[in-house]
Amino acid sequence: MGSAALRVVLIASEMGPWAKTGGLADVMESLPPALRHLGIDLRLILPGYRQMLQAGIPAGSVHTGLHAWLGPQRLAFSVHRMRTETGIPIDLIEREDMFDRPNLYADSQGDYYDNAERFIFFCRALTVWLQTWDIVPHIVHCNDWHTGLVPVLLQSIPAFRSSATLFTIHNLGYPGLFDADKFALTGLDPNHHYRPDGLEFFGRWSMLKAGMFYSRAVSTVSPTYAREIQQPEYGRGFDGVLAARSASVFGILNGVDYGKWSPEKDPHIAANYSRKDLSGKSACKADLIRRCGLAADLHKQPVIGIVSRLDTQKGIDLILPILDQLMDDLHLGLIILGTGDKNLENRLAEASGSSRKRLAFIPQFDEVLSRQILAGADMLLVPSRYEPCGLTQLYAMQYATIPVVRATGGLNDTVVDVDADPANGWGFTFGRADPQDCLSAIERAAALYRRSPGEWQRIQQRGMAMDFSWDRSALAYQRLYRSLISDSTT
Ligand code: ADP
Ligand code: GLC
């Protein structure tokens, strides 16, 4: 089959820049143009969030009169057909009471109480919608738990027997886990599906498990995470299911859209710069220090940036016990942009209040500031306990900001330690999720920064030269899609 004939539907619950809580949105913004560039006939399906419908994307057409079951209720929905700037069609499954809300999944009091209903309905409605199409897609590519029911629902639709389903796990930490009483909403027969070899998961049931159990193949967003999740330490109880189908579990690294993440073109940073001429970075550092209200003398000291969700996954708490060493012994500056866990937010706010202007904590989600940190900091710290891929370290490298990361998941696949491989390395890594290990890596980085500005610059340039573009990832997805189709025709 020629690539022009490959028809793929990509389904997810986020898409940048409109509906974003994390890296899944970046993936859904940047992977589709790269797939289309390969000649793949692509269509996206997302929930009809307020954030998408009000984004000013012109609707091509609106389809009404559609219905899907949620348990015993037959509910109406509509589909808004839109196109991205580059012409890729997006179908938004719209039901006002479910998706017209201020946030995607939660409010200040926690997760929306009806997330099971919302995403079961999303899956059921989109499978109804798919059946109205004239042409059946070759590949239905689902992402994360919000889409997990799609592979099992499609199994019972004869027209879709020839389609292959791919389920991509972006984060095993979000299993879409619900109590038994919600299972009836799925419309699935409990005798067949509410079982350990099905959706049941330790007395409850999981939409993520549905995706990984019933899809033709499973992928995740880095080769290391693909191996890790088949082991108990990282598998969160799903390792058995994944290890049992090991031959169809793949790791495809995420990429970077260098058109969007480039210090040469970024309009939000104080000065543009490039690999050949890094001089603008110093103006970005001065601007960042001033903007964050930090001590001006930090300009001569290494400044560490962090841009992250504040979640146990990200290991930001590991720096709390070492803050005194970082600021008093190593004389570093530290700028943290992130929101999430309230307890951690409070502890960071308290620490920044007493840090003598060496630590700034900004509890916001702010893309412009995130870019200013990427450009103005000397290092970006990503101390994750686990990390399926991680994108900020890739963006940092492009902005000549040296990554200091825990060697896990995608961080392990994208950062090579300077001391372990002096001729090729472009970052600093540490092994255990432990404050002292994290401190040692930062100490090594700070020592090099002070010892040899020339060597520091060579490492910055090496990182900038690395190619983690989406084109590579898109080719890997294309190969996987083709192999799934040929499996189904043999
Ligand atoms: P995850 O998806 O686990 O949050 P990634 O590194 O894959 O981690 O992606 C995170 C994305 O969210 C990046 O684009 C990052 O810049 C962005 N991000 C995270 N926190 C913030 C924040 N507070 N403000 C702006 N952007 C943020
Ligand atoms: C998840 C992961 C992150 C990954 C992103 C996009 O949120 O935590 O590591 O980069 O998805 O795949």
Side-chain angles (χ1 to χ4, degrees):
M1 156 179 304
S3 63
L6 196 58
R7 291 186 301 273
V8 177
V9 183
L10 195 53
I11 306 168
S13 67
E14 297 194 16
M15 181 172 183
W18 306 291
K20 169 164 173 169
T21 69
L24 174 62
D26 298 38
V27 174
M28 288 299 290
E29 183 176 0
S30 303
L31 175 61
L35 289 173
R36 206 159 109 128
H37 192 65
L38 295 175
I40 292 177
D41 176 355
L42 190 68
R43 182 172 287 278
L44 314 185
I45 303 184
L46 277 103
Y49 294 122
R50 172 192 298 184
Q51 292 78 353
M52 303 281 294
L53 288 165
Q54 294 182 357
I57 323 166
S61 55
V62 181
H63 301 252
T64 53
L66 296 154
H67 293 85
W69 291 96
L70 181 66
Q73 286 178 292
R74 186 168 170 266
L75 302 180
F77 70 97
S78 56
V79 174
H80 286 235
R81 279 215 149 155
M82 300 176 157
R83 276 179 194 275
T84 64
E85 256 175 31
T86 53
I88 297 167
I90 319 176
D91 289 352
L92 297 178
I93 305 289
E94 198 221 348
R95 215 189 123 82
E96 216 175 288
D97 62 348
M98 290 186 181
F99 301 118
D100 184 10
R101 300 189 184 183
N103 302 304
L104 306 191
Y105 315 122
D107 60 20
S108 59
Q109 286 163 327
D111 284 350
Y112 288 139
Y113 70 93
D114 57 351
N115 277 344
E117 285 80 353
R118 296 170 77 218
F119 290 102
I120 291 170
F121 186 74
F122 175 58
C123 292
R124 294 208 60 124
L126 78 87
T127 51
V128 168
W129 173 239
L130 283 175
Q131 290 173 75
T132 68
W133 295 10
D134 297 338
I135 299 174
V136 175
H138 298 112
I139 300 285
V140 179
H141 181 174
C142 305
N143 293 271
D144 271 355
W145 74 263
H146 320 87
T147 66
L149 288 183
V150 174
V152 56
L153 293 172
L154 289 182
Q155 278 185 355
S156 61
I157 303 172
F160 280 83
R161 296 254 160 80
S162 61
S163 298
T165 46
L166 172 64
F167 185 72
T168 298
I169 300 169
H170 294 262
N171 195 332
L172 219 49
Y174 298 87
L177 201 55
F178 300 107
D179 289 337
D181 62 349
K182 300 268 185 194
F183 190 78
L185 297 172
T186 64
L188 296 171
D189 177 356
N191 294 322
H192 278 97
H193 299 293
Y194 198 86
R195 309 190 332 189
D197 57 341
L199 278 69
E200 195 270 343
F201 188 68
F202 299 106
R204 302 172 81 197
W205 64 281
S206 157
M207 285 191 44
L208 190 78
K209 189 177 173 202
M212 64 177 86
F213 194 80
Y214 291 99
S215 51
R216 174 90 41 94
V218 174
S219 73
T220 185
V221 286
S222 68
T224 296
Y225 194 59
R227 285 191 301 276
E228 286 174 342
I229 57 179
Q230 298 182 50
Q231 291 153 18
E233 190 189 348
Y234 288 94
R236 293 176 164 258
F238 296 106
D239 40 289
V241 180
L242 291 163
R245 56 174 317 185
S246 194
S248 52
V249 176
F250 303 89
I252 299 180
L253 207 56
N254 286 331
V256 179
D257 181 341
Y258 290 119
K260 294 206 167 72
W261 297 94
S262 154
E264 275 183 77
K265 301 183 209 145
D266 196 324
H268 300 295
I269 60 179
N272 292 112
Y273 55 93
S274 66
R275 181 151 67 101
K276 286 206 182 87
D277 178 6
L278 284 169
S279 55
K281 189 164 171 71
S282 170
C284 293
K285 183 171 177 180
D287 175 67
L288 180 66
I289 289 171
R290 187 188 48 75
R291 211 176 262 286
C292 294
L294 294 185
D297 70 328
L298 277 175
H299 194 69
K300 295 203 166 47
Q301 308 295 345
V303 169
I304 305 176
I306 293 178
V307 177
S308 181
R309 289 186 291 114
L310 300 181
D311 179 278
T312 320
Q313 171 192 350
K314 299 292 179 179
I316 308 301
D317 54 298
L318 296 177
I319 62 171
L320 289 168
I322 56 172
L323 281 176
D324 289 346
Q325 281 110 312
L326 293 180
M327 284 176 289
D328 298 341
D329 302 348
L330 291 174
H331 306 288
L332 305 182
L334 180 58
I335 296 169
I336 306 172
L337 173 65
T339 55
D341 181 83
K342 292 299 162 214
N343 179 25
L344 186 52
E345 281 190 14
N346 292 339
R347 289 160 77 193
L348 289 170
E350 203 176 297
S352 71
S354 56
S355 77
R356 299 178 311 287
K357 297 195 153 197
R358 306 194 82 80
L359 164 66
F361 169 53
I362 304 104
Q364 287 163 19
F365 196 95
D366 181 339
E367 171 139 353
V368 170
L369 185 56
S370 80
R371 289 167 176 273
Q372 289 159 348
I373 293 174
L374 289 173
D378 298 296
M379 311 165 202
L380 187 89
L381 179 63
V382 193
S384 306
R385 290 198 165 77
Y386 73 93
E387 195 60 74
C389 177
L391 293 167
T392 54
Q393 81 280 11
L394 299 177
Y395 301 154
M397 283 154 54
Q398 192 58 21
Y399 281 74
T401 300
I402 292 184
V404 180
V405 306
R406 175 156 180 260
T408 182
L411 299 169
N412 183 53
D413 294 329
T414 56
V415 181
V416 170
D417 189 279
V418 166
D419 290 321
D421 187 349
N424 302 299
W426 60 84
F428 294 85
T429 65
F430 59 98
R432 291 177 309 151
D434 169 89
Q436 289 310 315
D437 277 26
C438 178
L439 178 63
S440 312
I442 297 171
E443 277 170 348
R444 287 192 292 123
L448 181 68
Y449 176 95
R450 291 183 172 126
R451 189 173 66 238
S452 174
E455 183 59 12
W456 185 263
Q457 184 171 324
R458 269 192 293 285
I459 292 168
Q460 288 177 306
Q461 288 168 325
R462 222 180 268 159
M464 292 178 99
M466 295 305 299
D467 177 11
F468 287 104
S469 67
W470 272 111
D471 300 343
R472 290 168 21 143
S473 318
L475 274 172
Y477 278 110
Q478 186 189 41
R479 271 196 297 275
L480 179 55
Y481 294 155
R482 284 194 176 140
S483 74
L484 298 180
I485 292 174
S486 55
D487 282 358
S488 65
T489 51
T490 49

